[in-house]
Structures are given as structure tokens and as C-alpha cells.
């Protein structure tokens, strides 16, 4: 009889540990039960698929737009779930997560645009979370069009148009994992892109990895992110992220960190960039220890390493950052424009290996790049090989790959910012003419030109990211690339015993 019980126990354990994948497409398919791509749930059942999932389960979401609701009820949002991974941007044929291809940009959108044209009747939050830990994961989505225009309260009113992480209240925790996402075109009173609420003995410390937070608008403060740690804790870990072109009409165009009333709002930020954000005060960051009544207390000390602050503006005080009530701004191995930063709005500590030099982005005015898709090979906030940010970071604790999944330290030292420069320079034995060769335009659509070639005795090889030679030809001032696939290539120029390798982006 003991053997029978043991056999039953093995079966129960086996079935309870068996993970399930649920599939969702815009129109659904087959029996609409989510058991496969051929029987996928329709878009209106995405939240049902999440709710049905248990520990270790995954929800796979195909290319398309998924609205928070088919009704006009603005308070309905998507909700994440512990121990469940919600993956987006599938073509709808994959049988393994390794087959999902994000190199052409994200293609699954979660949208709060449920009403008529304009944002006035959009969902308050696209995603609204509570009671979550880091096992709740969302990966591979564009999250957009939320608008919480209600008068702000310390609960969820007026907070977090894109993502609201509600961890406020004694013992409450809301710290999900948000990765490989673009959070854009959201509006709220505070924290238009993401609001992390750790108010009053709560905790909201999400992991935000490989994300772009862009073009969000706060009608008061925290255009991109707001960390509300007053009398609690709101200190996310932010890695390989772009915070770009966000706006606040009062303070903190990019990120607000408020740790008053003995609270804590001290995010740890690694290899990220804060670019072209704007506000009246604190165009980039606000660090705030003010209490809600009188005086100040607590901690508001965001810590930045291997980051870039450039092009942020304030019509009032503190273009890059604003310090309130003896809070602190700590940055090491970071490129930061300190023009206009007057006391007390200065960095705390020694600022080890910080620099104040133009990072030389591909195109600071067009961060998304010519293809209008973030996290692709033509992103404008990549840095040129001549950038002072190349090989200028600190390798301690960096991730293996950057925001584009390029290797982080294959050239020895990590770069500053979310993008690792992939140009390899292996110059000549005697350093004659190869270092003067320039290829242009870059990115390009279908052809490339070379300047500085003094003679044509040599070879040019185009090597893809897998190390395969896709084109080899004689050295020339002009080469037609119409016949090779779009992507990122290493162009190896060989002549007279010399070798020079440059990166080329071939885009649509």
C-alpha cells in the first residue's frame, strides 16, 4: 500500500510542477482555449489567460494591439501575476522562446486607448499591479496610451498612466520585473510612464531591465518614472534603460525620487541614459527628502553608474538634477553635463571617473532611429566609436548583454549607457592609411560609400552577427548592398597587411 501512495504522490508532484503555456492572438483561433497558436485565446481574453496561469506558467502574446477593455470603463487595466511570465512580440508560429525575434523591434502593444480619438477617455492605467514580487514578469511589449487625469491621491488616483505598481500600506509589496518593454505616450498627474508606490510602510522596488521609457507626460511631476517612497520604500533597480524625451509640467522630467517622512527613494541605476527630458525644475532627476508636512527626513539618494545624462533641460533650476532638503545625487563612471548645475544641486561624493563630455550619439534628436522602432540596430542613442563613453565604465555587476543583446565586455571594459559600441578597431602594424577610412551613410538602406581609400588593392568583407561572411568583394569607394539581409554587420577592410573593422547598420 505504501508503494501505491508513493506512486500517487509522484503523479501529484509531477502534474503540479508541470508548467503550461497559454497562447493569445488578436483574433484568436480554433477552439479559442489558448492551448496552442492554432487554438489561441482572442485579444479580449488576454487577462483571462493571465488569471488562469499558475506558478511557472507562461502567456505568449502574438503581434498586434491588445486593449485593456472592449468597454468604456476607464478603471479596467491589465494585471500581472506572481510566478507568471507574460511574453509579447511573437510571430505566432514559435515553439520555443528562443525562436522569438526582437531584433526588428517590439510588435505586441498593450493600449489604454479604449474610447474616441484623443486621450480624454483612455484607461487610467494600462497595467495596474498589487501584491507582486520579482517573479511576476512582463517581457516584450509596447505599453502606451494610459491617462490617469484624476486628482492625485496616495492610492492609485492620478498615478502611473503606463504602469502603476501599488505597494502602499504596511507590509504591502509590489515589485514586479519589467523587461524588454517600451513605455510610451502615457499621461498622469505623477509618474506618467511608471509610478512605484511604496507609501506608508509599503514597498515598490521593481526590476526594470532593457526598457525604453519615452514621450510620457506628467501634469505635475515624474514624467518618466515616479518613485514614491514617503514613509515607505520605492527604490527600483534600473538597468540598460533609455529614459528619453519625457516631460513634467512642474518637476522631474525623467524621474522623481521622494523619500520624505523617514522613507526611502534610492533607485540603483546601471548603464542607462537620461536624454532630452524636460521640466520647470529638475529636467532629469529630482531627489527629495521633504516631509509631507514640515521639515525633512528619510533618504533620497539615487545611485547612477555607467550612465549618461545629456540634453535634459529645465526652464527653472537644475537641468540634469534637482536636490531638495539635503537629498543626494550620486554618480560614478557617468557622463553628465554639469552646465547650469548650481549649488546645492551638485553631485555628492567623489564622483569617481565621471566625465562632462559630449557622448556623441548617432542622432540625439531621433532616439528611436529611422525605422521608428526602439531597441533596433538604428537607434539614435547609440554612441560612435569616438565617444568618450566607450570603454569608460566599470565592469562591476554589469549584465552580460546590452539593450540590443550585444555582448557587454567583449572589448574589455563596458561602455557608459545602455548601448555597447560594437566597432572593433584592429589597426595596422605600421599605422599608415586604414585609420583614415570612413564609411557612410551609417545606418544605410542599400549602399555604402568609403572615403579615404587611396588605392583599390584590398578586400572588403561583410560579416553578420553570427560571424558569417555574407559578402566579400574587392575594395571600392562604393558597394551595393541590396542583395544582403537587413541587420548589423562588421565591415572588415583588409589591405597591405592591415586590417580595420567597422560596424555598419543596414536598415529598412
Amino acid at each position: 500500500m505504501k508503494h501505491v501512495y508513493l506512486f500517487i504522490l509522484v503523479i501529484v508532484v509531477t502534474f503540479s510542477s508541470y508548467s503550461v503555456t497559454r497562447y493569445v492572438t488578436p483574433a484568436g483561433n480554433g477552439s479559442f482555449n489558448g492551448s496552442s497558436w492554432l487554438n489561441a485565446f482572442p485579444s479580449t481574453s488576454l487577462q483571462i489567460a493571465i488569471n488562469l496561469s499558475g506558478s511557472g506558467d507562461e502567456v505568449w502574446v502574438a503581434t498586434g494591439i491588445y486593449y485593456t477593455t472592449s468597454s468604456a470603463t476607464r478603471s479596467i487595466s491589465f494585471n500581472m501575476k506572481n510566478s507568471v511570465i507574460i511574453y509579447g512580440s511573437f510571430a505566432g508560429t514559435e515553439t520555443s522562446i528562443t525562436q522569438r525575434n526582437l531584433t526588428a523591434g517590439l510588435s505586441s502593444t498593450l493600449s489604454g486607448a479604449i474610447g474616441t480619438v484623443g486621450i480624454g477617455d483612455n484607461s487610467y492605467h494600462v497595467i495596474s499591479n498589487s501584491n507582486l514580487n520579482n517573479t511576476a514578469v512582463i517581457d516584450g511589449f509596447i505599453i502606451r496610451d494610459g491617462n490617469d487625469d484624476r486628482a492625485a491621491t496616495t492610492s492609485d488616483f492620478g498615478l502611473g498612466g503606463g504602469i502603476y505598481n501599488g505597494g502602499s500600506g504596511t507590509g504591502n509589496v509590489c515589485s514586479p520585473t519589467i523587461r524588454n518593454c517600451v513605455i510610451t505616450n502615457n499621461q498622469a498627474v505623477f509618474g506618467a510612464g511608471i509610478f512605484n508606490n511604496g507609501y506608508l510602510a509599503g514597498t515598490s522596488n521593481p526590476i526594470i531591465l532593457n526598457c525604453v521609457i519615452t514621450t510620457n507626460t506628467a501634469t505635475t511631476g515624474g514624467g518618466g518614472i515616479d518613485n514614491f517612497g514617503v514613509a515607505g520604500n520605492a527604490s527600483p533597480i534600473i538597468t540598460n534603460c533609455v529614459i528619453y524625451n519625457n516631460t513634467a509640467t512642474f518637476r522631474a522630467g525623467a524621474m522623481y525620487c521622494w523619500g520624505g517622512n523617514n522613507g526611502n527613494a534610492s533607485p540603483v541605476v546601471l548603464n542607462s541614459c537620461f536624454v532630452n527630458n524636460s521640466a520647470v525644475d529638475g529636467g532629469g532627476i529630482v531627489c527629495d527628502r521633504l516631509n509631507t508636512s514640515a521639515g525633512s527626513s528619510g533618504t533620497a539618494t539615487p545611485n547612477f553608474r555607467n550612465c549618461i545624462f545629456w540634453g535634459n533641460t529645465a526652464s527653472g533650476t537644475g537641468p540634469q538634477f534637482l536636490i531638495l532638503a539635503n537629498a543626494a545625487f550620486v554618480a560614478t563612471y557617468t557622463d553628465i553635463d554639469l552646465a547650469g548645475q548650481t549649488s546645492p544641486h551638485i553631485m555628492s561624493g567623489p564622483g569617481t571617473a565621471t566625465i562632462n563630455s559630449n557622448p556623441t550619439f548617432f542622432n540625439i534628436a531621433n532616439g528611436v532611429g529611422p525605422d521608428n522602432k526602439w531597441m533596433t540596430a538604428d537607434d539614435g542613442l547609440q554612441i560612435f566609436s569616438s565617444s568618450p563613453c566607450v570603454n569608460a565604465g566599470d565592469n562591476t555587476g554589469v549584465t552580460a548583454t546590452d539593450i540590443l543583446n550585444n555582448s557587454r565586455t567583449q572589448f574589455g571594459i563596458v561602455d557608459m549607457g545602455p548601448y555597447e559600441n560594437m566597432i572593433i578597431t584592429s589597426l595596422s602594424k605600421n599605422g599608415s592609411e586604414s585609420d583614415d577610412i570612413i564609411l557612410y551613410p551609417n545606418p544605410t538602406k542599400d549602399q555604402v560609400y568609403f572615403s579615404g581609400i587611396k588605392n583599390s588593392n584590398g578586400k572588403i568583407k561583410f560579416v553578420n552577427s553570427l560571424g558569417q561572411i555574407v559578402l566579400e568583394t574587392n575594395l571600392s569607394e562604393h558597394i551595393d548592398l541590396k542583395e544582403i539581409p537587413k541587420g548589423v554587420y562588421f565591415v572588415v577592410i583588409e589591405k597591405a597587411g592591415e586590417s580595420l573593422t567597422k560596424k555598419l547598420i543596414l536598415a529598412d
Side-chain angles (χ1 to χ4, degrees):
M1 183 62 76
K2 289 182 179 179
H3 294 296
V4 173
Y5 287 142
L6 180 60
F7 178 70
I8 293 172
L9 178 62
V10 169
I11 291 176
V12 170
V13 171
T14 300
F15 275 91
S16 64
S17 63
Y18 180 75
S19 61
V20 174
T21 300
R22 292 176 174 84
Y23 302 82
V24 187
T25 65
N29 209 354
S31 60
F32 302 102
N33 63 12
S35 60
S36 65
W37 290 123
L38 296 178
N39 295 295
F41 282 120
S43 61
T44 52
S45 296
L46 172 54
Q47 189 61 52
I48 292 174
I50 297 169
N51 294 343
L52 287 172
S53 298
S55 179
D57 290 352
E58 298 176 354
V59 179
W60 290 14
V61 182
T63 296
I65 301 177
Y66 299 80
Y67 295 98
T68 52
T69 177
S70 57
S71 74
T73 305
R74 299 181 68 191
S75 58
I76 297 176
S77 309
F78 293 112
N79 318 117
M80 296 167 63
K81 190 173 182 180
N82 279 338
S83 301
V84 174
I85 304 178
I86 309 164
Y87 284 114
S89 299
F90 288 93
T93 58
E94 296 88 346
T95 58
S96 166
I97 188 62
T98 60
Q99 295 172 342
R100 185 182 62 154
N101 184 3
L102 301 183
T103 59
L106 306 180
S107 60
S108 294
T109 298
L110 305 182
S111 175
I114 60 173
T116 57
V117 175
I119 66 171
D121 55 359
N122 287 16
S123 296
Y124 296 129
H125 318 293
V126 180
I127 299 175
S128 181
N129 293 320
S130 61
N131 301 316
L132 296 179
N133 56 43
N134 295 151
T135 67
V137 179
I138 190 162
D139 181 313
F141 288 89
I142 300 168
I143 299 164
R144 59 174 299 152
D145 306 323
N147 175 32
D148 199 342
D149 53 1
R150 299 173 292 184
T153 66
T154 54
S155 60
D156 70 333
F157 279 39
L159 314 175
I163 301 176
Y164 173 75
N165 293 318
S168 63
T170 302
N172 290 330
V173 176
C174 190
S175 302
T177 298
I178 304 161
R179 68 189 186 206
N180 298 319
C181 287
V182 174
I183 297 98
T184 185
N185 199 46
N186 300 287
Q187 182 171 298
V189 181
F190 292 97
I194 302 174
F195 191 94
N196 300 314
N197 193 351
Y199 176 67
L200 203 60
T203 299
S204 184
N205 299 337
I207 294 172
I208 305 172
L209 173 65
N210 294 352
C211 287
V212 176
I213 302 166
T214 181
T215 322
N216 301 286
T217 301
T219 56
T220 300
I225 307 171
D226 196 315
N227 303 307
F228 187 47
V230 172
N233 191 4
S235 303
I237 299 172
I238 301 170
T239 307
N240 292 345
C241 288
V242 171
I243 299 89
Y244 175 77
N245 198 36
N246 300 284
T247 303
T249 58
F250 182 38
R251 285 177 174 164
M255 183 168 68
Y256 206 118
C257 303
W258 190 8
N261 293 37
N262 289 309
N264 183 29
S266 302
V268 175
V269 187
L270 181 66
N271 279 104
S272 297
C273 68
F274 295 76
V275 178
N276 283 12
N277 302 285
S278 63
V280 173
D281 294 320
I285 308 295
V286 168
C287 315
D288 185 357
R289 293 178 65 249
L290 288 168
N291 294 335
T292 53
S293 54
S296 60
S297 62
T299 305
T301 307
N303 193 306
F304 303 92
R305 182 159 54 90
N306 299 347
C307 292
I308 301 173
F309 285 81
W310 209 262
N312 302 297
T313 57
S315 58
T317 304
Q320 308 305 320
F321 59 94
L322 182 81
I323 303 292
L324 297 174
N326 296 313
F329 179 99
V330 175
T332 56
Y333 296 91
T334 287
D335 187 5
I336 179 167
D337 182 3
L338 293 176
Q341 291 295 140
T342 56
S343 182
H345 313 292
I346 58 177
M347 288 193 295
S348 301
T352 304
T354 56
I355 59 175
N356 181 8
S357 303
N358 190 325
T360 63
F361 295 116
F362 280 12
N363 187 348
I364 192 174
N366 186 16
V368 69
D371 67 356
N372 203 36
K373 295 179 180 179
W374 282 103
M375 296 191 287
T376 61
D378 69 349
D379 283 6
L381 298 186
Q382 295 179 80
I383 52 177
F384 285 105
S385 59
S386 58
S387 170
C389 300
V390 171
N391 294 336
D394 173 25
N395 289 355
T396 305
V398 300
T399 54
T401 56
D402 71 354
I403 194 172
L404 297 183
N405 203 36
N406 293 321
S407 177
R408 262 297 181 194
T409 56
Q410 66 173 321
F411 304 135
I413 302 176
V414 66
D415 296 345
M416 295 175 179
Y419 300 92
E420 192 74 8
N421 184 275
M422 297 303 293
I423 298 176
I424 314 164
T425 304
S426 176
L427 286 177
S428 61
K429 300 178 255 185
N430 44 30
S432 57
E433 62 185 62
S434 288
D435 51 349
D436 296 325
I437 296 175
I438 299 172
L439 55 84
Y440 66 95
N442 189 8
T444 184
K445 288 187 176 181
D446 52 17
Q447 55 190 340
V448 64
Y449 295 85
F450 295 85
S451 65
I453 295 178
K454 298 178 181 178
N455 62 69
S456 58
N457 296 323
K459 291 284 187 181
I460 296 182
K461 300 176 183 177
F462 291 80
V463 182
N464 66 18
S465 58
L466 299 177
Q468 302 164 329
I469 299 174
V470 298
L471 176 65
E472 182 174 354
T473 185
N474 292 329
L475 191 59
S476 172
E477 293 184 350
H478 169 241
I479 296 177
D480 192 308
L481 303 175
K482 290 188 178 71
E483 300 303 317
I484 70 174
K486 307 301 182 185
V488 179
Y489 292 92
F490 298 113
V491 182
V492 183
I493 303 166
E494 298 175 343
K495 58 178 301 184
E498 301 176 351
S499 175
L500 176 69
T501 305
K502 293 179 177 286
K503 178 183 174 183
L504 175 71
I505 299 168
L506 186 58
D508 291 325

